[in-house]
Amino acid sequence: MEFTLQLKDAKSRVILEKNAHLHLKDYLDLNSKVMVISDDHIPSTLKKKVMDQIENGILVEVVQGEDAKSFPVYEMLLKKLLEHEFSRKDLVIALGGGVIGDLSGFVASTYKRGCRFASIPTTTLSQIDSSIGGKVAINMNGIKNCVGNFYHPEVVIVDTQTLHTLPKRHFYNGLVEALKAGCIQDEKLFDLFKKHAHELNVDSIYLEEIIERSLLMKKRIVEQDEKEQNLRKILNFGHTLGHALESLHLNEYYHGECVGNGMILIEEDEKIRKDLKGILKRMQIPMIHENDVEKMMECIRNDKKAKDDEIDIIQVRKIGSAEIVKIKTEDLKKILEGGLL
Ligand SMILES: NC(=O)c1ccc[n+]([C@@H]2O[C@H](COP(=O)([O-])OP(=O)(O)OC[C@H]3O[C@@H](n4cnc5c(N)ncnc54)[C@H](O)[C@@H]3O)[C@@H](O)[C@H]2O)c1
Ligand SMILES: [Zn+2]
């Protein structure tokens, strides 16, 4: 399956195909200098398979983890591009998860005001969500994605065969973004989780459909509202509280795990909340026991989505449709006090 994400000034060709990473030339023009950016936990066999297809390829590996989204690593990568005399017509490929995608995309977007960029996502989170939509960023002063850009890869190669080596916890972590996609836009996707959450793994016959439905949902939203003026905000279901949990438990819980907990905390409808809890439990998503409401509120106020004493939150009153609701921060605090304690 393939589709094109069509934006005002850019487009991304998205390929969802088993073993596509073994024939890159079918999708990507590799007749230029190519820098592949990856991390030290991505299996070396995967890196070798990719590099063997690229004549003028340079592989640069960074230390895995969120800390790679930093100024020193960003600068090191820019210097490598300069050292190898890359021009704007040369290509940067992200080979890894969301960290590598965000970092490499930001490098590509700023090097000489933007060079070519493509992505081979290797985690469920990046295949389902982060590799499309154009958000690229690094962190600063402990604030996630504080410095960033919108920059779309020309090609995204989503190949579930690359997921075989992904640790199980990361596998389920990424699936939470697909569950979110089901909640806000796609009832059938939600039903897939309701029926099959306990048996999902890399060989599941439902995995490709889950990824495809999630990507197509994001395509529909981002094409209508690329820069998150309004509609795109619905992708943040579970994220306001999720981000706060993530900041309070950095390096302890992953993004999807925090978003899963955030969805449960914010969801008003009892039946939906019960279903969500059941699904997350079957996907072995940990329940986060955080009872410091004040600290949570501090994170939420610092978050870019909070304005004065009001905040936009996303509410799902019926599976498959989401609403942007303005609520007072003091009311959000009450919800938290009810949910956390
Ligand atoms: N740009 C966006 O729209 C967007 C959306 C959501 C999240 N994000 C960002 O994504 C990041 C999280 O991404 P992630 O969850 O993919 O984490 P990650 O990139 O840190 O990858 C998780 C771990 O899995 C390892 N790994 C990756 N692929 C592997 C494979 N095939 N086999 C074995 N190990 C593998 C990595 O080395 C790493 O240790 C965060 O920085 C978050 O802010 C961005
Ligand atoms: Zn997310």
Side-chain angles (χ1 to χ4, degrees):
M1 192 281 277
E2 78 164 86
F3 65 87
T4 300
L5 178 75
Q6 187 66 55
L7 291 317
K8 206 165 136 265
D9 300 313
K11 61 179 177 187
S12 293
R13 183 178 172 205
V14 182
I15 316 288
L16 173 56
E17 190 188 306
K18 280 202 166 80
N19 290 320
H21 81 283
L22 299 177
H23 43 102
L24 297 176
K25 283 199 175 88
D26 291 350
Y27 314 106
L28 257 178
D29 176 2
L30 297 170
N31 292 316
S32 65
K33 289 182 184 167
V34 180
M35 181 176 289
V36 176
I37 301 176
S38 194
D39 77 42
D40 59 351
H41 278 207
I42 313 284
S44 45
T45 44
L46 178 56
K47 290 171 194 151
K48 186 171 182 315
K49 278 178 187 153
V50 167
M51 296 314 293
D52 282 351
Q53 300 171 63
I54 307 173
E55 230 168 84
N56 288 313
I58 300 151
L59 173 68
V60 184
E61 293 181 55
V62 303
V63 176
Q64 75 81 38
E66 190 65 30
D67 289 350
K69 283 171 62 173
S70 67
F71 271 109
V73 178
Y74 167 66
E75 187 182 6
M76 178 278 286
L77 292 168
L78 290 175
K79 283 184 173 160
K80 286 259 182 235
L81 288 170
L82 199 60
E83 195 182 298
H84 291 280
E85 298 177 350
F86 269 57
S87 79
R88 302 184 60 205
K89 291 185 177 137
D90 294 322
L91 174 67
V92 168
I93 300 181
L95 176 66
V99 164
I100 292 300
D102 282 10
L103 170 70
S104 313
F106 187 56
V107 167
S109 79
T110 47
Y111 180 72
K112 300 199 171 169
R113 295 203 184 86
C115 66
R116 291 177 57 214
F117 174 49
S119 179
I120 309 173
T122 64
T123 61
T124 43
L125 185 129
S126 51
Q127 296 195 350
I128 283 166
D129 185 17
S130 68
S131 63
I132 74 162
K135 285 188 179 177
V136 295
I138 57 172
N139 308 326
M140 187 175 73
N141 276 8
I143 303 173
K144 274 188 63 119
N145 306 324
C146 188
V147 185
N149 220 337
F150 284 97
Y151 202 65
H152 298 271
E154 60 186 52
V155 176
V156 181
I157 292 171
V158 178
D159 179 352
T160 53
Q161 292 298 101
T162 64
L163 297 174
H164 278 281
T165 49
L166 187 68
K168 201 166 148 191
R169 187 174 162 199
H170 277 294
F171 180 82
Y172 287 124
N173 170 62
L175 287 184
V176 177
E177 294 282 9
L179 177 62
K180 174 207 77 181
C183 289
I184 59 173
Q185 281 273 294
D186 186 340
E187 195 178 355
K188 191 149 183 249
L189 178 52
F190 188 80
D191 283 344
L192 276 175
F193 278 100
K194 256 175 93 170
K195 289 197 191 99
H196 304 291
H198 60 287
E199 51 176 321
L200 293 175
N201 59 42
V202 68
D203 296 314
S204 162
I205 52 165
Y206 303 107
L207 184 62
E208 298 257 327
E209 183 177 352
I210 286 173
I211 296 175
E212 180 176 329
R213 283 183 168 275
S214 307
L215 289 172
L216 289 174
M217 184 283 300
K218 192 161 178 185
K219 165 188 155 68
R220 283 196 303 274
I221 304 289
V222 173
E223 282 182 341
Q224 291 174 66
D225 178 19
E226 183 189 350
K227 301 272 164 74
E228 203 169 305
Q229 308 289 325
N230 194 33
L231 178 68
R232 187 168 177 171
K233 288 183 185 162
I234 68 169
L235 298 178
N236 292 327
F237 176 50
H239 280 63
T240 303
L241 302 182
H243 281 153
L245 289 170
E246 212 176 344
S247 307
L248 292 184
H249 297 277
L250 266 189
N251 301 323
E252 192 184 345
Y253 294 111
Y254 302 153
H255 178 78
E257 296 173 342
C258 294
V259 170
N261 279 264
M263 292 195 289
I264 291 176
L265 284 172
I266 203 68
E267 180 55 54
E268 279 176 353
D269 184 285
E270 215 167 297
K271 164 86 174 63
I272 298 177
R273 200 168 57 237
K274 192 166 162 251
D275 282 347
L276 276 173
K277 267 190 184 169
I279 293 167
L280 292 171
K281 193 171 169 205
R282 281 180 284 145
M283 296 203 299
Q284 297 163 44
I285 298 296
M287 287 299 108
I288 303 174
H289 299 289
E290 170 55 61
N291 49 21
D292 196 334
V293 176
E294 278 309 325
K295 264 198 184 158
M296 287 279 285
M297 289 308 296
E298 200 182 308
C299 293
I300 290 163
R301 282 192 209 97
N302 286 338
D303 200 43
K304 56 186 182 295
K305 288 166 210 84
K307 248 195 228 149
D308 304 325
D309 62 343
E310 254 189 1
I311 185 163
D312 282 339
I313 57 147
I314 310 308
Q315 200 50 267
V316 171
R317 300 207 164 102
K318 182 181 172 303
I319 288 298
S321 70
E323 288 168 53
I324 305 166
V325 184
K326 279 200 191 315
I327 66 165
K328 297 232 172 302
T329 40
E330 64 202 62
D331 291 335
L332 187 62
K333 191 172 169 193
K334 281 185 199 140
I335 295 177
L336 270 181
E337 282 166 348
L340 294 177
L341 305 176

